[in-house]
Amino acid sequence: MIRKSIALTALTTAVCAVGLPGVATAQPEPQKAHETITWGACDRPADMPVADGVQCGTLTVPVDWAKPESGTVALRAYRQKVTGPSKSKGTILNFPSGPGATGDIAFSSLRKSLPDYDLIALDPRGVGASGPLSCATEKILKIPYVPPTDRRTFHALKENQRSFWSTCTTNPAGLKHHLDAYSNARDAEALRKAMHLERINVYGFSYGTLTAERYLGLYGDHINGSVLEGVMNPAQSRREFITGAAHGMEAIFDRFKKWCAEEAACALHRRDVVSVFRKAQKKADQGHIPGSLDTTPWSFAAVTRYFELTAPNSFKDAADGLKKLSQGKNPMPDGETGQDQIPNTYPYPDPIVCSDFDLSVKNVDQARRDLAATRKAAPVLGFSTNSSNYTSICLAGPHPAKKSDTAVTSRSAHPTMLLSNTLDPATPLTWANSVARQLGHKAIEVRTDKVGHGGGLDNPETKRKVAAYMSQANRTGR
């Protein structure tokens, strides 16, 4: 799960139980939205090209699956077939990351790692060409990474959020109230039926694992192999959500400190890294750092945000930047604020998270207790801005779907493979561990010793395990 920022892409960062009354059968089964999909070239902007061989089509589904007569929405569909002499071993349905990534986002990596499978996907509701959610930029920029803990500022946040959600629009308009993973899972089942596929495989990354989990619970009997990477855990409270992520980021900071102590390439080598970090935060709060972090003025929280953005990709860059911040210098490129390029409204899929998790911090007392809890979990960083930000966003965003906190189960006859990095800034390992416990014997956990979000399939051993698992599931699952 990730937070999309206005001018800077953030971390590439977020369940229907079998046998629970009213869950798996609460809404009607997807109907044959279209008997067939007409495939052709993809009409996307030049700065968002699709890979060679990817075709696009349109799937029309109900806005509200519980009330099919209430209207429809056209969803963008993708497919990429196996080419050359190899025969397809099956079809992989991709659930993209985000919220905010288009359906084909993982096609290139899947084609590289699992070349013998056809690929299909949808742009999720509110994303890409599937009725994108857009909101007033001015309101977006006023949403803090961490909810304020004084009453006056918290009241201002509450007022901003009330007006913020009213500025958010989709086409059709009613779609903004039906952006949840349950609805996306039902859309995916409609895609399977429209393509006349009896059995499929699924791959979900980051926020896409949540929709994959819903699909496993609702329609897993059609699934051979299922691979979830960077796993979301739907069955957790707001407090668990933010403290788990904060603890995960603190673990990355600890690894960063160790690296700086051992490596001369670290700009903070042989220095007290924590003291440098605190000095940078103090400089920021005193207003002694010019410019901004992606339109956000430098502050205590922005320094933590900077570490979250840089360290998982490069410890060296994080050290260089923290050194500059501690000296009162802006580590961001000169003039890179993006202010003059920001339109009045902006595609902003982050509130989709509010459709799946009850994350809203209701009052200032809750905000204070949340901050105390995250500071205990992350004594140096204080919090994960990536997770705490959603408690601000969801203050007036869409309400969580019914039973959104239901534990993960699966109807598939095959176990689900859960891929995790040991140190993940967006979906901490503890989330995958929890989902594994929920799935019980239907879970296979694979860990890659890596700092970062995703990229597990770049590891040769992890890739080998995934390929072997998929071959086995498709040999026995036909």
Side-chain angles (χ1 to χ4, degrees):
M1 179 184 59
I2 61 176
R3 181 194 179 214
K4 295 292 191 301
S5 55
I6 297 299
L8 176 70
T9 301
L11 298 172
T12 300
T13 51
V15 196
C16 201
V18 176
L20 287 182
V23 180
T25 59
Q27 297 185 39
E29 292 292 301
Q31 302 165 12
K32 296 180 181 179
H34 283 255
E35 286 295 326
T36 58
I37 297 175
T38 300
W39 299 99
C42 300
D43 56 342
R44 283 219 308 226
D47 60 347
M48 293 180 61
V50 296
D52 291 342
V54 175
Q55 294 180 304
C56 289
T58 300
L59 178 74
T60 302
V61 299
V63 168
D64 182 354
W65 277 105
K67 300 176 181 178
E69 72 284 355
S70 63
T72 61
V73 57
L75 307 178
R76 170 64 58 85
Y78 303 88
R79 76 171 182 182
Q80 186 179 36
K81 305 192 77 173
V82 171
T83 58
S86 298
K87 181 180 178 181
S88 175
K89 293 181 178 179
T91 298
I92 298 175
L93 169 60
N94 177 56
F95 293 110
S97 57
T102 55
D104 63 319
I105 189 69
F107 276 20
S108 294
S109 61
L110 288 174
R111 177 61 65 234
K112 179 181 177 182
S113 301
L114 299 165
D116 298 328
Y117 294 85
D118 296 327
L119 306 175
I120 61 173
L122 293 170
D123 280 351
R125 293 166 171 243
V127 172
S130 295
L133 181 69
S134 296
C135 305
T137 307
E138 177 189 7
K139 300 295 183 182
I140 298 172
L141 293 174
K142 290 181 180 179
I143 304 175
Y145 291 127
V146 182
T149 54
D150 67 277
R151 295 190 183 278
R152 182 185 61 81
T153 312
F154 187 89
H155 178 74
L157 168 63
K158 202 168 185 177
E159 291 301 308
N160 179 75
Q161 291 311 97
R162 284 174 179 167
S163 57
F164 155 75
W165 183 234
S166 68
T167 73
C168 297
T169 60
T170 55
N171 185 17
L175 186 66
K176 68 182 278 189
H177 302 296
H178 300 280
L179 301 173
D180 58 282
Y182 286 119
S183 297
N184 280 302
R186 290 182 167 87
D187 296 342
E189 176 65 356
L191 175 65
R192 183 192 69 80
K193 288 185 174 182
M195 297 188 69
H196 309 290
L197 297 169
E198 179 58 31
R199 304 196 66 81
I200 59 172
N201 305 277
V202 299
Y203 170 80
F205 173 52
S206 193
Y207 205 75
T209 64
L210 191 62
T211 303
E213 289 161 358
R214 304 298 194 205
Y215 193 88
L216 280 163
L218 286 167
Y219 311 111
D221 47 325
H222 294 288
I223 294 175
N224 290 338
S226 52
V227 178
L228 278 56
E229 181 174 11
V231 183
M232 298 292 298
N233 172 26
Q236 60 181 329
S237 66
R238 181 189 75 248
R239 189 70 52 79
E240 290 170 327
F241 184 90
I242 60 175
T243 56
H247 182 74
M249 275 308 308
E250 188 81 359
I252 293 176
F253 189 87
D254 289 342
R255 178 75 68 89
F256 169 71
K257 283 193 302 180
K258 182 179 179 182
W259 178 81
C260 278
E262 297 173 349
E263 300 293 335
C266 177
L268 307 178
H269 185 53
R270 295 182 178 176
R271 294 184 61 181
D272 185 336
V273 175
V274 175
S275 294
V276 172
F277 188 80
R278 294 284 185 238
K279 186 176 181 181
Q281 290 179 316
K282 185 176 180 180
K283 289 273 188 183
D285 268 353
Q286 291 174 339
H288 293 166
I289 301 176
S292 65
L293 173 65
D294 181 32
T295 73
T296 300
W298 286 103
S299 65
F300 183 99
V303 172
T304 296
R305 180 65 174 172
Y306 177 80
F307 180 80
E308 288 183 34
L309 291 170
T310 54
N313 298 313
S314 169
F315 278 177
K316 184 180 184 305
D317 288 349
D320 291 344
L322 289 177
K323 181 179 180 180
K324 288 182 178 180
L325 287 167
S326 70
Q327 297 169 341
K329 301 175 183 177
N330 188 350
M332 303 301 290
D334 291 341
E336 190 173 301
T337 64
Q339 291 280 13
D340 58 341
Q341 302 173 7
I342 299 175
N344 291 332
T345 60
Y346 196 82
Y348 190 64
D350 285 42
I352 292 172
V353 175
C354 313
S355 299
D356 295 310
F357 290 91
D358 188 8
L359 298 179
S360 173
V361 56
K362 304 296 192 300
N363 54 59
V364 72
D365 292 329
Q366 285 187 0
R368 290 170 179 170
R369 290 193 291 271
D370 280 359
L371 184 57
T374 57
R375 281 177 169 167
K376 184 177 180 180
V380 177
L381 296 179
F383 36 73
S384 160
T385 62
N386 188 52
S387 61
S388 289
N389 179 241
Y390 287 107
T391 67
S392 295
I393 294 172
C394 295
L395 188 56
H399 297 297
K402 186 178 181 181
K403 297 188 181 294
S404 63
D405 59 352
T406 300
V408 182
T409 59
S410 172
R411 293 182 183 272
S412 176
H414 301 271
T416 295
M417 181 169 277
L418 307 176
L419 305 186
S420 303
N421 294 338
T422 51
L423 294 171
D424 190 319
T427 52
L429 180 60
T430 53
W431 292 1
N433 293 341
S434 179
V435 171
R437 289 192 294 272
Q438 293 165 43
L439 285 170
H441 70 281
K442 286 192 173 183
I444 301 172
E445 288 193 89
V446 176
R447 298 180 184 177
T448 304
D449 187 17
K450 181 179 185 294
V451 178
H453 187 48
L457 290 173
D458 294 334
N459 178 281
E461 182 60 16
T462 300
K463 177 182 174 180
R464 183 193 66 77
K465 290 179 180 179
V466 171
Y469 158 80
M470 287 289 288
S471 291
Q472 176 66 20
N474 283 275
R475 277 198 302 270
T476 61
R478 292 182 184 277

